[in-house]
Amino acid sequence: MENIEKVELTCINCPLGCALTVSKDAASGELIVTGNTCPRGADYARKEVTDPRRIVTSTVRVEGGTLPVVSVKTERDIPKGLIFEVMKAINSIQVNAPVHIGDVILADVCQTGVAVIATKNVCAYPERT
Amino acid sequence: MEQHDIVIIGGGPAGLAAAIAARDEGAEDILIVERDHQLGGILNQCIHNGFGLHTFKEELTGPEYAQRFIDKVKEADIPCLLNTIVVDICHGNENESGTKIVTVMNKEQGMIQICAKAVILAMGCRERPRGALNIPGYRPAGIYSAGTAQHYVNIEGKMPGKEVVILGSGDIGLIMARRMTLEGAKVKVVAELMPYSGGLRRNIVQCLDDYGIPLKLSTTVIDIQGKERVEGVTLAKVDGRGKPIPGTEEQIPCDTLLLSVGLIPENELSSQAGVEMNPITNGPKVNESLETSVKGVFACGNVLHVHDLVDYVSQEAGMAGKQAARYVQKECESKNADRDISVVKEEQLRIQQNNMIIELKAEQGVRYTVPSIIHIDRMEDTQVVRFRVGGVYANAKIAVYAGETKMMELKKRIMAPGEMEQIQLKKDKLQELVEQNILTNQITIKVEE
């Protein structure tokens, strides 16, 4: 946010989708949110400009399973700027069946302190038909 | 012939929730028929998060949400016939009045018939295909419905293309824009024919804005180039009637075109069974119990009307399951009771008199309602009525009229066709209005600005 004077966002808290503008008070350096119709909008806007985070969901190759891939997610949200690095890490590994929901696939992805976990059960199946 | 009290057609979110609710209501003998090799339906390929916020108060991915219901079905020991397709539903013979014959087919048993006291339709919907769009050009490889592409990427682990244009801004299209981007494809643009998106707001922000993917409204694909493989598409702006405006054409090179242009409830079986359809939803017309025009046949989920949140599918399906269980119990009771014909007739007359049938009418901005008929004596204390509006309305009201009298209104800051709306009708309030002769046979729901 340091170098940005004004950021425009669409609030996602409810279907209203308020058009939010975040600007920085020149004197105090405080973030000012306008365009929101409720406090949740202001919280969302501040978080989006200071520390935007997202949960990443994807798939990981499975060896010897009833399905070729298993769906995974980051257990918590990770910094938005790291999404593509996290994807690279997820795409570089493969796991052996069986896999269960909640199994840790990557313990600490990209030093975020967040684990990538399985979101589907995949049974072991010696010969996939 | 194999017999079951309740046969549920489809093991997706609707079928699973219906099965669990029917068991909770006391139905012992339930069978789920599913054509895939696994339960969970479309949720299996919806690996993104955001499911279950209403049901479980946490954000789950599709497969996780499905597994919670699959586990419950397994715990309840409800049998499921997988890899099995239903080919027909018809009425049983006259000796077995009210029963239905469900004809199913699978590899192991071939074609078999199952006798059911009640049937729950939970077949879901399918995507509107290219053929429905009238886009001229060859039939090259590289044109997929968004859901097909989602299946390739998320279930089979294959990428359908590298440079992508998406037509239609429905939720699946938006989700796939992000998914393809994450997997290394370049999504060049999402074009939407309407002046607004059909998708949820948070999907536009988190799937397009986050990745700098442009959304072009009032824009459509007017030409597809390429003979063997898609080589590009031509976009054009459209006027208020959806007609391309000459001079606004823009050629975009790409190898893949994804279509996210609407969902159609899959009701071939329902029609065969003689179920009366609603031309707006392309789903069955149902009453307060989610029972169709054919007695003992219930419908829920996307086969009834297309939902945007699975949580509402589960709620709705729960109601269908509960009502199907009650229906079966009542049928058994009336068959077992050895009663004098005159007593039965008298009872029927009494039921008729008490049985106020209220028609729900969608007017002025409201496109349809589910249900469309309410029997006041049979309704729950609170009846949820779901509907969609036909356009974007800011600071408008949903008004509900009993005859000429406004019985309630709900202020809405924003309403859009992409987000399903709902109101709740209270049984005691309706009974009161009936006693006062204000409510006779019709409730009208409309948008007032």
Side-chain angles (χ1 to χ4, degrees), chain B residues 190-236:
Chain B
V190 175
E192 168 62 55
L193 179 74
M194 303 303 285
Y196 50 83
S197 167
L200 296 173
R201 176 84 50 182
R202 77 162 174 198
N203 284 338
I204 295 170
V205 172
Q206 297 199 339
C207 299
L208 301 186
D209 297 357
D210 269 10
Y211 300 93
I213 301 167
L215 170 62
K216 293 194 178 184
L217 299 173
S218 300
T219 302
T220 193
V221 171
I222 57 164
D223 186 43
I224 301 168
Q225 292 97 39
K227 198 166 177 183
E228 298 299 322
R229 174 85 203 186
V230 174
E231 287 164 11
V233 299
T234 306
L235 302 182

Side-chain angles (χ1 to χ4, degrees), chain B residues 28-47:
Chain B
E28 287 294 326
D29 184 11
I30 307 168
L31 175 72
I32 300 174
V33 186
E34 166 59 44
R35 70 179 163 195
D36 202 355
H37 69 98
Q38 59 183 348
L39 294 171
I42 205 67
L43 287 174
N44 286 310
Q45 68 182 59
C46 298
I47 63 163

Side-chain angles (χ1 to χ4, degrees), chain A residues 16 37 54 61 73 120, chain B residues 38 44 64 157 210 413:
Chain A
L16 205 54
T37 40
R54 298 284 185 270
R61 301 257 155 223
K73 70 174 179 186
K120 189 170 169 58
Chain B
Q38 59 183 348
N44 286 310
E64 290 172 303
D210 269 10
R413 282 153 115 180

Side-chain angles (χ1 to χ4, degrees), chain A residues 10 12 15-17 37 54-55 57-59 61 68-69 71 73 80 83-84 87 91 101 119-121, chain B residues 38 44 47-49 61 63-64 67 154-155 157 179 181-183 201 205-206 210-211 413-414 419:
Chain A
T10 309
I12 60 160
L16 205 54
T37 40
R54 298 284 185 270
I55 285 175
T57 64
S58 188
T59 52
R61 301 257 155 223
V69 293
S71 55
K73 70 174 179 186
K80 192 177 151 190
I83 289 177
F84 283 97
M87 277 303 295
N91 279 340
I101 290 180
T119 57
K120 189 170 169 58
N121 298 333
Chain B
Q38 59 183 348
N44 286 310
I47 63 163
H48 52 282
N49 60 316
T61 63
E64 290 172 303
Q67 196 61 44
N154 293 347
I155 304 281
R179 185 75 186 111
T181 305
L182 286 177
E183 290 293 353
R201 176 84 50 182
V205 172
Q206 297 199 339
D210 269 10
Y211 300 93
R413 282 153 115 180
I414 189 106
E419 316 231 0

Side-chain angles (χ1 to χ4, degrees), chain B residues 241-266:
Chain B
R241 286 169 302 152
K243 225 179 115 195
I245 303 168
T248 62
E249 297 88 353
E250 182 187 0
Q251 204 274 337
I252 297 183
C254 62
D255 60 23
T256 304
L257 174 65
L258 299 190
L259 304 173
S260 177
V261 289
L263 300 168
I264 306 161
E266 199 166 350

Side-chain angles (χ1 to χ4, degrees), chain B residues 189-442:
Chain B
V189 61
V190 175
E192 168 62 55
L193 179 74
M194 303 303 285
Y196 50 83
S197 167
L200 296 173
R201 176 84 50 182
R202 77 162 174 198
N203 284 338
I204 295 170
V205 172
Q206 297 199 339
C207 299
L208 301 186
D209 297 357
D210 269 10
Y211 300 93
I213 301 167
L215 170 62
K216 293 194 178 184
L217 299 173
S218 300
T219 302
T220 193
V221 171
I222 57 164
D223 186 43
I224 301 168
Q225 292 97 39
K227 198 166 177 183
E228 298 299 322
R229 174 85 203 186
V230 174
E231 287 164 11
V233 299
T234 306
L235 302 182
K237 288 265 162 211
V238 295
D239 62 19
R241 286 169 302 152
K243 225 179 115 195
I245 303 168
T248 62
E249 297 88 353
E250 182 187 0
Q251 204 274 337
I252 297 183
C254 62
D255 60 23
T256 304
L257 174 65
L258 299 190
L259 304 173
S260 177
V261 289
L263 300 168
I264 306 161
E266 199 166 350
N267 272 301
E268 285 74 10
L269 283 174
S270 324
S271 302
Q272 278 171 19
V275 165
E276 198 185 325
M277 305 297 282
N278 178 335
I280 306 285
T281 55
N282 288 310
K285 281 188 180 170
V286 292
N287 64 21
E288 74 300 320
S289 309
L290 302 178
E291 187 183 28
T292 66
S293 62
V294 177
K295 216 176 141 215
V297 176
F298 298 78
C300 55
N302 281 351
V303 81
L304 178 54
H305 58 144
V306 177
H307 294 63
D308 21 66
L309 293 182
V310 71
D311 301 76
Y312 295 149
V313 169
S314 302
Q315 276 176 21
E316 185 179 275
M319 174 59 77
K322 186 175 169 181
Q323 296 295 348
R326 286 187 188 168
Y327 168 84
V328 169
Q329 282 153 11
K330 258 190 217 153
E331 286 294 294
C332 288
E333 279 166 20
S334 63
K335 258 189 202 141
N336 293 340
D338 188 13
R339 285 179 303 180
D340 194 284
I341 286 262
S342 64
V343 176
V344 175
K345 275 204 172 145
E346 201 176 297
E347 196 173 57
Q348 276 172 349
L349 190 70
R350 188 177 55 81
I351 289 170
Q352 257 173 21
Q353 281 165 347
N354 289 336
N355 194 359
M356 282 285 298
I357 299 174
I358 306 293
E359 190 196 346
L360 294 183
K361 259 190 97 181
E363 266 185 14
Q364 210 174 285
V366 176
R367 294 192 63 227
Y368 70 87
T369 65
V370 167
S372 55
I373 294 165
I374 291 178
H375 298 85
I376 292 186
D377 62 324
R378 283 198 243 156
M379 75 187 274
E380 304 269 298
D381 290 341
T382 302
Q383 173 81 44
V384 177
V385 178
R386 298 194 162 93
F387 58 92
R388 279 182 197 276
V389 295
V392 178
Y393 296 92
N395 296 316
K397 284 176 278 191
I398 297 166
V400 183
Y401 286 85
E404 301 293 305
T405 313
K406 190 183 275 191
M407 52 182 279
M408 64 187 270
E409 70 173 26
L410 211 66
K411 280 192 187 138
K412 283 285 182 178
R413 282 153 115 180
I414 189 106
M415 286 187 284
E419 316 231 0
M420 190 183 281
E421 299 290 340
Q422 65 177 55
I423 55 159
Q424 295 186 340
L425 297 177
K426 301 274 182 208
K427 184 174 187 167
D428 48 6
K429 174 82 182 161
L430 295 193
Q431 282 169 331
E432 202 178 291
L433 289 168
V434 168
E435 275 162 30
Q436 294 165 349
N437 266 331
I438 293 170
L439 178 58
T440 50
N441 57 5
Q442 191 171 298

Side-chain angles (χ1 to χ4, degrees), chain B residues 41-219:
Chain B
I42 205 67
L43 287 174
N44 286 310
Q45 68 182 59
C46 298
I47 63 163
H48 52 282
N49 60 316
F51 299 89
L53 277 169
H54 297 262
T55 312
F56 299 112
K57 308 286 173 236
E58 58 179 310
E59 237 181 296
L60 301 172
T61 63
E64 290 172 303
Y65 185 94
Q67 196 61 44
R68 299 221 172 167
F69 285 84
I70 295 169
D71 289 345
K72 279 193 195 162
V73 163
K74 292 211 168 126
E75 269 166 39
D77 223 4
I78 297 169
C80 305
L81 211 46
L82 297 177
N83 297 305
T84 303
I85 193 153
V86 175
V87 292
D88 188 45
I89 306 164
C90 62
H91 298 276
N93 63 33
E94 280 175 16
N95 303 332
E96 286 282 340
S97 75
T99 61
K100 280 90 201 155
I101 308 288
V102 181
T103 308
V104 310
M105 216 161 64
N106 62 35
K107 262 189 189 171
E108 281 73 36
Q109 296 159 292
M111 195 185 278
I112 56 165
Q113 292 196 311
I114 300 166
C115 185
K117 287 178 186 157
V119 170
I120 301 177
L121 306 171
M123 294 89 82
C125 60
R126 61 171 170 246
E127 297 176 281
R128 180 169 284 136
R130 176 190 172 177
L133 298 182
N134 295 326
I135 306 172
Y138 288 105
R139 296 298 187 255
I143 304 172
Y144 303 91
S145 65
T148 304
Q150 192 178 41
H151 183 92
Y152 279 131
V153 180
N154 293 347
I155 304 281
E156 301 195 20
K158 294 175 179 140
M159 278 291 279
K162 295 190 178 88
E163 299 205 307
V164 187
V165 169
I166 299 176
L167 175 60
S169 60
D171 287 311
I172 314 168
L174 300 175
I175 293 286
M176 281 314 289
R178 173 174 64 187
R179 185 75 186 111
M180 298 283 283
T181 305
L182 286 177
E183 290 293 353
K186 169 77 188 155
V187 178
K188 296 191 160 177
V189 61
V190 175
E192 168 62 55
L193 179 74
M194 303 303 285
Y196 50 83
S197 167
L200 296 173
R201 176 84 50 182
R202 77 162 174 198
N203 284 338
I204 295 170
V205 172
Q206 297 199 339
C207 299
L208 301 186
D209 297 357
D210 269 10
Y211 300 93
I213 301 167
L215 170 62
K216 293 194 178 184
L217 299 173
S218 300
T219 302

